[in-house]
C-alpha cells in the first residue's frame, strides 16, 4: 500500500478524531491516489521527488509566513538555484517527469517563472541563430531574462503599448524609449531585482512609419556588478497581495541602443537598408500564450484548491463546536449541514478540475501537433476552450479557497493556516495570463460564430457541436433519484448552455435594428459572459461524467467518484436555479428534487471526506499549514508556530515610547 | 458649496478624464454629501476633524503598506496615544460627535479596540465600586485591558470554554488555570503585546461544583516593566491576513490567584463562605454583544465598501483599454457594460448599506432605551435583526471589495491600490463578532418562531410582520418599466422572503415524522440560512425605498438615489432569479424584463458614477490609495510610491550569494 512521505514525517500519533475518519473509508486511498497521479508509477516518482526535496534544508519553506517581501524573494532565488543543481545531480531533465513534481512539492515558491517565458518567447519568435546564442545561457542561469510586455497604462490591449523602437539606418541600431510614464513596463516577474536581460515589446518605427509590435532582446543590468545599464531605470513595484517571492518590476528605457540583430526575427526582420520583411505566419505565437495558460492551471491554480480542501476538511473533523445533540459532546463541525455545504461541493470541484486538467492537456497536445505542422484549423477552438476553461477554473478555485478559509473560522484567517496565502495567490490568477472577463468574452465570440455556423449549416468544432442538437424541451426527471442519473443532469446543463448561447441572438437583433456592431456587442456582454460560463460549466460536467465511466474497473472508487460527480453537477444546478427554471425546462417541483438529492449527497460524501482529501497526498511540508497536517494536532501546532513569530521576538518601541509613561501613573494606584 | 479637504490637499490639477466626469453630474455632490452625513453641520464637523488629523504627522498612515507587522502595531499605538492627547487638547469628548470622524479618518488603524470592550464589559458586568476602581484608569490608558473570552479550541459555543476559576475559601481567592492547550485564550486584540489587564471568562467552581461562565479581572503584565506576571504565559499569535496593527494574542494561566473582589459581580457574586448569589437578570449583557456588532458596521465594515467603490470607480474612468469603436481612442473601462455590471451594483449596495446603518442605529437606540428600563420584550427582535444584518452586510461588503479589487486588473492587486487591505480587513468581519452562518441561523430561529406566531395568531414583531400578510400570487409587472416601481419589486422581495421562510416548515414535517428536533434542525440549516438571507435582503430593500421617499424635497438627489435603489433591487433579482421563478411568482418573460431594466439602469447610473463616489467625501489620506485619489493621477502616483518600497532600498543577498557566481560565466560570452 506504499508509505506516503507525510505519514513517516509525522512521528507523533494522529489525533483520534482524524484517525477515526480514516478507519471507515469506503475505498482504498492508495488506489485513488494512483489514479489521480495517472498511475502508480507516477505516484512512486512523485514521492521520490518529495523525499529528495524535503531532505534538503535549502528548499525549506518553514517560517515563510514570518518573512518579509525581500526575505521571500531571496529564499525563492535560493530554492531555484539549488533546484537547478539538484536536478543536475539527480539526472532529472527539463523535460523529464520529475520537474512538475518539484513545482508541486515546492508549492510554486520558486523564482524565475518569467525567465521561462523569456526563453519560450525566444524559442517561438527567434531565429535558429538567436536561439543558439541565448538559450544555452538562459538554461544555465548565466543570464536571467524577463518578458516585458505589459505597461503601466496598458495590459490586455497589446496594440495600445507605447514603448518605441526606432530603427536608425546610419548606426544599424534600434533605439528603445519609454515615451511617457504610462509606457513604463510594469509587472513583469524577475524584473524588479534579478533580470540581466529582457525581451521587450515595442512599436517598431522605420523611417517614421510604425510597423506595430515587435520583440527585442536587451541587456538591462551589468553582468559584472548587476547595476542597471545606462539609460535603464529599473526597480521593484513593491508590496502586493501575494507573490512576495516574485520581484515584479518596472522598467523605463531612455535612448537604449541595441544592434539590429537583437530584434527577434523569425517572422519579420529589418534589413540594413531599412526594408521591413515579413515571412510566414506568426500565429504560432498564440501557442506561447495558450501553453502558459494550460501550464498555470496545474502548477499555480488547481493544486491550490486541492490544498485548501485538504486543510479545511481535516480541520473540520478535529474542530468541535456546539452540540448537535444536547446529550452528546460538542460535535465535529463537519457534521453540520452548513459546513458540509461549504466544503463538500468544493471537494467535488477539486476532483472535477483535476480531471478537467487531464482533458485540457490532451486537447492541447492534439492541437499543438497540428499547429506545429502549420495546420491552424484547430487554433480558434483551442484558444476559446483554454480561455474559457482558464477563466472558469481560476474563478471557482479562488472562490473556493475563500470559502475554505472562512469555513475555518478565526484560525483560517491566521497566516499559519496556510489558507490566506492560497487564497491571495489564486486571486491573482483571475487576472494574470488573461483577465477572466476578457477571456470569457473571447470564448463567447467563438460560441457566437459556432451558432452562426449551425444556422448556415457549416461544420462546428467538436466542443460546441452540442449547439446543433435538438432541444429536448423539458427535463425528464420524475423523482429525486432521477437527478442522480448523469444523462438527466448532463442534458440539463446542455439545455442551459444552448439556451444561454442562443439568447445572444439579441446581438443580431440589435444590429439589424440599426445599432453599430461594436455598440451592440457591448450591450450584450453581460449575457455573453453568462453564455461562456454556461458553456464551460457544461464541458466540465461532461468531462466528469466521462471520467467516471472510465473507472469501471475500480468499483469502489467509481462509486465514490460518481458521488462527487453527482454532487458537482447538482450543486451547480442548486446554485444557479434560475438558469434552469427560466424557460420552464425544469419545474419548481423538480428543483425541490434537486435540492433534496443534493442535500442527501452531502451526508453520503461527508463519510469519505477525509479519505478523499488524503488521496491528494500532499506532504505536510508542501501544505505548510498548522491546521491541515496529516496528524491533525492543530492546536499544538498553532501554538508552536505562533511562538516563533517575529512579533514575539523583535523588540517593539511601542512600550518604551508610548505606554511606559502612562502605565507609571497606575503603579501607585493598583 | 464648501471646500472639501481632499480638494485642497491635491495641489496638482486633475486628470482630464476624471474632471470630465464631474462636469456632468446630475445633482449637487455637496448636497448629497450633507445628506449622507446626516446634515451639513455634520459635514462641517467631519471636515474640521479631518483637517486636524491630517495636519499632525503623528497620525500619518503614509508608507503603511511597506511596514512590517511590528511597525504597524507600533504606529497604531502611537496614533491611539496621540489621539487621546489631541482629543483632550481640542476638547473632544468620548461621547462627542468628533470621535466617530476620527475613526473614519484614520481608517480604523488604531490600537486599543478591545480595550474598549474591556471597559464595556466592566461597565455592564461590574458593580459601581468596580466601575469606580477600573474605569478611570482605563479611560486614561493608565492600564490597557483586553477581553479574553475565545479560546484556541472554543469560539462560538461559550459554554464549552475550558478555563477554570476555583474559589478557595481559606485564602478568599480565585485560582485561574488553563487546564490544557485548547483552553488557551487565543485571538483577543491588545493582548499580544500591550495589555496590562484582562477580563477573563472562566468556569467558576466552588467546592467542586461548576457554576458556569463568569468574568474576572486580572493583571497579566507588570505596570513597572511590562514583564508577564508570574504564572502568565502571553504572546502574539503571529501573522494574519490583515490587522497587522492589532496584537491579537494568546494567554495561558498557571495557578493565578486573584482576590474575591476581582470577579465582576453585578449579577452574581461569591460570598466569603463560598455561597453563590445570583441577582437580577444578566440579559443586559446581550447588549454589549449587540452594540459591538452595530458599532463595527459603521466603523470597520460599511466605510470599507464605500472606499473600495471610490477607488475602483475613479480608476475605471482614468484607465483606458481597448476600443469600443474602432475609430475612437481606447475607451474608459467604465464604458464597458461588464465593468459597469461589476461596479455599479456595488455602488448601489454601498448606498443601501449606508442608509441601512441609520435604520439599525435607530432600531438599536429604541431597543436600548427599553432594555435599560428592564423591559426585555424587544431583545429577541433586536438580537435577530442585528445578527442577520451584520451577517448580510459583512458578506456583501467582503464580496464587493473583492469585485472592486479584481475590477482594477493587475493594479488592484498591488497593495498600493489600497484594495487588498480593504478586502482582507472585510474578510475578517465575516467571522469576528459572530460567525455569519451562525448569525444567519439565529435570525432563522427567530423567523421560525415568528411563523409559528402567525399560525397561532399571536403578535409578531414589526420586522417580521410581513409574514402574516396575504400572498399576492403573481408578480403584476407587464413591462420592463413596471420593474422600476418600488411597489413591484418590494412585493417580489416580500414574496420571496415569505416563501423562503415558509419552506422551513419542512422542519416541523421532519419532527412530526419522527426525527429528533436537533437532527431535523441540522437537516434544514442550508434552507434556514437561505430564509434568513431572503428576510434580511427584503429589509434592506424596504429601507432603501423608505429612504428614497424621505428625499422628496431634493428632486435631483431623489432621482439619482431612486435609480440606485432600483439598481440594488433589480440586481438582487437578476442575481437570484431562481428564488423568484421557483414558485411561478415571476415568469421567464418577466425575468427578461428585469434583465432589460437592470442593464438600462447601468447605463444611466454610469453617468453619475464619479459624482456618486465623490459624495462619500473621503480624503486622499484616508483612502490611502495610489489608484483612488481625487486628482486621478494614478500612474504617476503608483510609480512614486513603488520607488519608496523597501524592496528597492534594502540590500538583498540573493545577488551576491546566488546569482553573481552564475552571471560571471556569461561575462566573457556577451
Amino acid at each position: 500500500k506504499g508509505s506516503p512521505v507525510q505519514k513517516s514525517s509525522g512521528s507523533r500519533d494522529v489525533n483520534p478524531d482524524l484517525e477515526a475518519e480514516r478507519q471507515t473509508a469506503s475505498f482504498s486511498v492508495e488506489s485513488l491516489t494512483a489514479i489521480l497521479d495517472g498511475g502508480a508509477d507516477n505516484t512512486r516518482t512523485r514521492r521520490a521527488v518529495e523525499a529528495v526535496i524535503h531532505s534538503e534544508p535549502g528548499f525549506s519553506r518553514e517560517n515563510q509566513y514570518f518573512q518579509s517581501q525581500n526575505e521571500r524573494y531571496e529564499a525563492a532565488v535560493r530554492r531555484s538555484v539549488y533546484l537547478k543543481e539538484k536536478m543536475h545531480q539527480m539526472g532529472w531533465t527539463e523535460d523529464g517527469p520529475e520537474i512538475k513534481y518539484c513545482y508541486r512539492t515546492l508549492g510554486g515558491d520558486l523564482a524565475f517563472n518569467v525567465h521561462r517565458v523569456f526563453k519560450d518567447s525566444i524559442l517561438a519568435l527567434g531565429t535558429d541563430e538567436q536561439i543558439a546564442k541565448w538559450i544555452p545561457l538562459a538554461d544555465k542561469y548565466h543570464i536571467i531574462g524577463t518578458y516585458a510586455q505589459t505597461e503601466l497604462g496598458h495590459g490586455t490591449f497589446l496594440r495600445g503599448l507605447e514603448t518605441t523602437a526606432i530603427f536608425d539606418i546610419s548606426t544599424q541600431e534600434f533605439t528603445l524609449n519609454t515615451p511617457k510614464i504610462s509606457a513604463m513596463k510594469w509587472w513583469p516577474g524577475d524584473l524588479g531585482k534579478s533580470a540581466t536581460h529582457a525581451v521587450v515589446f515595442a512599436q517598431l518605427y522605420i523611417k517614421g512609419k510604425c510597423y506595430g509590435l515587435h520583440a527585442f532582446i536587451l541587456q538591462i543590468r551589468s553582468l559584472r556588478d548587476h547595476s542597471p545599464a545606462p539609460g535603464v531605470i529599473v526597480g521593484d513595484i513593491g508590496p502586493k497581495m501575494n507573490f512576495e517571492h516574485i520581484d515584479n518590476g518596472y522598467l523605463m528605457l531612455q535612448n537604449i541602443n541595441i544592434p539590429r540583430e537583437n530584434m527577434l526575427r523569425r517572422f519579420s526582420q529589418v534589413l540594413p537598408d531599412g526594408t521591413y520583411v515579413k515571412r510566414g505566419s506568426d500565429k504560432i505565437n498564440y501557442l506561447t500564450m495558450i501553453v502558459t495558460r494550460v501550464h498555470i492551471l496545474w502548477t499555480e491554480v488547481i493544486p491550490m484548491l486541492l490544498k485548501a480542501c485538504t486543510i479545511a476538511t481535516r480541520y473540520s473533523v478535529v474542530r468541535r463546536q456546539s452540540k448537535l445533540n444536547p446529550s452528546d459532546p460538542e460535535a465535529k463541525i463537519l457534521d453540520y449541514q452548513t459546513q458540509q455545504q461549504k466544503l463538500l461541493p468544493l471537494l467535488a470541484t477539486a476532483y472535477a478540475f483535476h480531471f478537467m486538467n487531464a482533458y485540457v492537456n490532451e486537447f492541447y497536445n492534439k492541437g499543438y501537433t497540428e499547429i506545429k505542422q502549420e495546420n491552424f484549423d484547430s487554433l480558434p477552438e483551442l484558444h476559446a476552450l483554454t480561455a474559457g476553461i482558464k477563466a472558469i477554473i481560476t474563478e471557482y478555485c479562488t472562490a473556493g479557497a475563500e470559502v475554505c478559509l472562512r469555513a475555518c473560522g478565526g484560525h483560517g484567517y491566521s497566516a499559519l493556516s496556510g489558507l490566506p496565502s492560497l487564497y491571495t495567490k489564486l486571486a491573482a490568477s483571475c487576472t494574470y495570463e488573461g483577465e477572466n472577463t476578457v477571456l470569457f468574452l473571447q470564448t463567447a465570440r467563438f460560441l457566437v460564430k459556432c451558432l452562426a455556423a449551425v444556422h448556415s449549416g457549416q461544420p462546428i468544432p467538436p466542443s460546441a457541436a452540442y449547439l446543433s442538437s435538438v432541444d429536448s424541451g423539458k427535463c425528464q426527471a420524475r423523482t429525486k433519484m432521477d437527478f442522480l442519473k448523469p444523462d438527466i443532469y448532463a442534458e440539463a446543463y446542455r439545455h442551459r448552455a444552448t439556451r444561454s448561447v442562443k439568447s445572444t441572438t439579441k446581438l443580431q437583433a440589435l444590429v439589424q435594428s440599426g445599432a453599430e456592431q461594436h455598440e451592440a456587442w457591448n450591450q450584450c456582454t453581460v449575457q455573453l459572459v453568462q453564455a461562456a460560463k454556461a458553456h464551460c460549466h457544461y464541458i466540465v460536467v461532461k468531462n466528469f461524467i466521462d471520467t467516471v465511466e472510465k473507472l469501471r474497473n475500480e468499483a469502489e472508487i467509481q462509486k465514490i467518484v460518481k458521488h462527487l460527480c453527482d454532487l458537482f453537477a447538482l450543486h451547480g444546478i442548486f446554485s444557479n436555479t434560475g438558469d434552469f427554471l427560466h424557460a420552464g425546462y425544469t419545474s419548481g417541483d423538480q428543483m425541490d428534487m434537486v435540492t433534496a438529492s443534493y442535500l442527501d449527497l452531502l451526508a453520503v460524501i461527508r463519510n469519505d471526506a477525509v479519505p478523499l482529501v488524503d488521496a491528494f497526498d500532499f506532504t505536510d511540508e508542501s501544505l505548510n499549514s498548522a491546521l491541515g497536517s496529516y496528524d491533525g494536532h492543530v492546536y499544538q501546532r498553532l501554538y508552536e508556530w505562533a511562538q516563533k513569530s517575529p512579533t514575539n521576538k523583535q523588540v517593539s518601541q511601542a512600550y518604551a515610547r508610548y505606554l511606559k509613561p502612562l502605565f507609571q501613573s497606575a503603579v501607585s494606584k493598583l
Side-chain angles (χ1 to χ4, degrees), chain A:
Chain A
K1 281 235 168 176
S3 162
V5 171
Q6 76 273 37
K7 292 180 192 173
S8 59
S9 71
S11 60
R12 284 176 298 188
D13 55 349
V14 171
N15 183 315
D17 279 340
L18 189 48
E19 187 56 35
E21 302 283 335
R22 293 182 172 129
Q23 301 304 325
T24 55
S26 77
F27 61 93
S28 154
V29 170
E30 189 64 14
S31 302
L32 182 51
T33 297
I35 289 168
L36 293 172
D37 279 328
D41 281 353
N42 289 340
T43 302
R44 264 188 298 277
T45 305
R46 176 171 57 69
R47 288 179 182 161
V49 168
E50 286 164 356
V52 167
I53 300 277
H54 293 327
S55 65
E56 165 74 59
F59 291 120
S60 171
R61 291 156 72 234
E62 214 187 319
N63 298 331
Q64 80 173 17
Y65 302 125
F66 304 139
Q67 292 175 335
S68 71
Q69 194 175 352
N70 263 331
E71 289 165 339
R72 290 289 304 274
Y73 161 73
E74 197 176 310
V77 169
R78 184 191 71 219
R79 276 183 222 112
S80 297
V81 171
Y82 281 11
L83 183 59
K84 177 74 75 181
E85 288 168 15
K86 182 62 77 180
M87 285 182 64
H88 181 73
Q89 182 190 329
M90 300 296 295
W92 300 340
T93 58
E94 289 282 342
D95 50 2
E98 294 89 359
I99 194 162
K100 74 172 178 183
Y101 299 129
C102 294
Y103 280 102
R104 175 181 147 123
T105 309
L106 291 166
D109 272 318
L110 291 161
F112 312 148
N113 301 309
V114 177
H115 176 70
R116 204 190 55 237
V117 182
F118 167 81
K119 288 200 294 180
D120 287 347
S121 66
I122 295 173
L123 290 168
L125 303 175
T127 58
D128 292 347
E129 194 187 351
Q130 290 175 315
I131 292 169
K133 174 174 179 183
W134 297 104
I135 296 300
L137 292 167
D139 271 344
K140 299 196 199 81
Y141 291 166
H142 291 171
I143 62 171
I144 296 293
T146 184
Y147 180 84
Q149 178 181 293
T150 306
E151 296 175 358
L152 191 42
H154 308 277
T156 298
F157 186 68
L158 295 184
R159 275 181 292 151
L161 293 178
E162 295 179 289
T163 303
T164 56
I166 299 172
F167 184 62
D168 183 340
I169 297 174
S170 67
T171 60
Q172 291 290 302
E173 287 181 331
F174 297 102
T175 305
L176 274 77
N177 263 300
T178 303
K180 51 192 212 191
I181 197 162
S182 59
M184 288 183 83
K185 296 298 178 183
W186 196 271
W187 273 111
D190 303 328
L191 168 62
K193 297 154 80 85
S194 297
T196 57
H197 289 72
V199 164
V200 171
F201 280 80
Q203 303 287 356
L204 169 64
Y205 284 86
I206 310 171
K207 298 177 191 164
K209 185 180 165 192
C210 181
Y211 288 83
L213 273 193
H214 288 74
F216 303 84
I217 298 192
L218 54 117
Q219 186 168 346
I220 57 171
R221 285 190 179 91
S222 159
L223 288 164
R224 293 181 194 277
D225 65 7
H226 216 222
S227 60
V232 166
I233 293 170
V234 62
D236 186 282
I237 65 166
K240 297 151 292 189
M241 203 174 182
N242 196 326
F243 289 93
E244 296 102 326
H245 65 294
I246 300 293
D247 56 327
N248 299 93
Y250 58 77
L251 176 69
M252 194 186 281
L253 305 173
Q254 297 174 327
N255 294 315
I256 307 293
N257 297 317
I258 55 168
R260 194 171 58 90
E261 52 269 28
N262 278 24
M263 181 170 110
L264 290 178
R265 53 182 196 277
R266 174 177 292 255
F267 301 106
S268 50
Q269 59 171 309
V270 179
L271 301 183
D273 67 351
T275 308
Y276 177 81
V277 184
K278 213 170 155 55
R279 54 180 172 191
S281 161
D282 60 355
K283 271 188 181 170
I284 204 161
N285 196 27
Y286 281 98
L287 270 185
T288 311
M289 194 167 64
I290 292 171
V291 73
T292 308
R293 250 169 228 163
V294 172
H295 181 78
I296 61 155
L297 290 182
W298 58 260
T299 53
E300 299 279 352
V301 180
I302 300 171
M304 305 298 161
L305 178 62
L306 270 57
K307 285 184 181 180
C309 286
T310 304
I311 296 167
T313 303
R314 287 181 181 164
Y315 176 66
S316 295
V317 297
V318 166
R319 177 69 168 193
R320 289 176 172 272
Q321 189 163 278
S322 303
K323 301 193 174 191
L324 263 171
N325 187 342
S327 59
D328 285 346
E330 290 190 61
K332 293 178 173 182
I333 57 175
L334 194 59
D335 287 327
Y336 292 95
Q337 191 188 49
T338 47
Q339 187 77 352
Q340 292 167 12
Q341 194 216 356
K342 289 174 191 175
L343 297 185
L344 302 184
L346 291 177
L347 187 54
T349 304
Y351 275 86
F353 289 168
H354 181 90
F355 295 135
M356 193 61 203
N357 184 40
Y359 170 87
V360 170
N361 273 295
E362 201 175 304
F363 200 92
Y364 170 77
N365 289 333
K366 188 169 154 291
Y368 180 81
T369 311
E370 290 172 18
I371 291 164
K372 278 284 181 188
Q373 293 157 357
E374 306 258 318
N375 170 1
F376 297 111
D377 295 351
S378 63
L379 191 59
E381 186 182 20
L382 183 60
H383 175 66
L385 183 90
T386 51
I389 293 296
K390 181 271 181 185
I392 197 170
I393 289 184
T394 54
E395 206 88 3
Y396 277 58
C397 287
T398 305
E402 187 185 6
V403 170
C404 288
L405 188 151
R406 282 166 53 183
C408 294
H411 296 332
Y413 195 80
S414 164
L416 308 181
S417 74
L419 292 165
S421 63
L422 291 173
Y423 167 76
T424 51
K425 255 193 150 173
L426 282 166
S429 71
C430 297
T431 304
Y432 68 64
E433 301 308 333
E435 196 279 327
N436 282 353
T437 302
V438 173
L439 294 184
F440 277 130
L441 286 173
Q442 290 175 356
T443 304
R445 205 176 278 277
F446 166 80
L447 293 171
V448 167
K449 283 184 191 159
C450 290
L451 194 61
V454 169
H455 291 315
S456 62
Q458 287 174 293
I460 306 150
S463 62
Y466 68 90
L467 291 173
S468 65
S469 60
V470 182
D471 190 357
S472 54
K474 299 268 176 197
C475 174
Q476 301 298 315
R478 289 179 199 180
T479 66
K480 69 175 183 175
M481 297 307 288
D482 284 344
F483 278 104
L484 303 178
K485 296 176 182 163
D487 287 352
I488 293 283
Y489 54 71
E491 185 58 22
Y493 275 91
R494 197 189 63 74
H495 175 86
R496 172 210 194 196
T498 307
R499 190 181 68 77
S500 191
V501 173
K502 286 188 177 163
S503 77
T504 63
T505 48
K506 175 184 158 193
L507 183 61
Q508 281 74 47
L510 282 169
V511 172
Q512 277 156 19
S513 71
E516 287 198 68
Q517 177 68 34
H518 67 268
E519 191 45 46
W521 176 263
N522 192 29
Q523 283 179 33
C524 293
T525 46
V526 165
Q527 285 148 301
L528 286 161
V529 168
Q530 286 184 326
K533 285 183 181 173
H535 167 76
C536 295
H537 206 161
Y538 171 55
I539 288 181
V540 177
V541 168
K542 195 86 184 49
N543 180 64
F544 208 158
I545 295 170
D546 293 346
T547 307
V548 172
E549 272 180 27
K550 287 182 202 144
L551 296 170
R552 66 184 77 85
N553 296 327
E554 308 256 12
E556 284 174 351
I557 286 177
Q558 189 182 39
K559 191 175 168 199
I560 185 70
V561 177
K562 162 79 165 57
H563 286 320
L564 290 168
C565 179
D566 295 347
L567 182 66
F568 179 76
L570 296 190
H571 177 257
I573 300 177
F574 176 78
S575 310
N576 299 279
T577 50
D579 289 358
F580 297 87
L581 288 164
H582 187 107
Y585 178 80
T586 316
S587 68
D589 286 346
Q590 284 174 321
M591 210 45 91
D592 292 340
M593 295 172 200
V594 168
T595 303
S597 263
Y598 162 62
L599 295 175
D600 288 350
L601 272 172
L602 293 179
V604 172
I605 293 173
R606 184 258 168 269
N607 295 321
D608 277 320
V610 168
L612 282 168
V613 300
D614 283 351
F616 297 148
D617 204 28
F618 286 105
T619 58
D620 283 356
E621 293 87 340
S622 178
L623 282 176
N624 209 9
S625 163
L627 301 188
S629 292
Y630 189 85
D631 69 10
H633 291 299
V634 301
Y635 301 132
Q636 184 65 37
R637 202 169 271 110
L638 266 177
Y639 180 41
E640 279 172 16
W641 290 15
Q643 290 173 81
K644 294 192 285 178
S645 170
T647 50
N648 288 314
K649 299 187 165 178
Q650 296 164 5
V651 175
S652 163
Q653 299 301 316
Y655 169 66
R657 280 196 197 154
Y658 308 113
L659 300 178
K660 194 174 180 184
L662 292 164
F663 295 164
Q664 297 295 332
S665 315
V667 170
S668 60
K669 294 172 196 151
L670 284 174

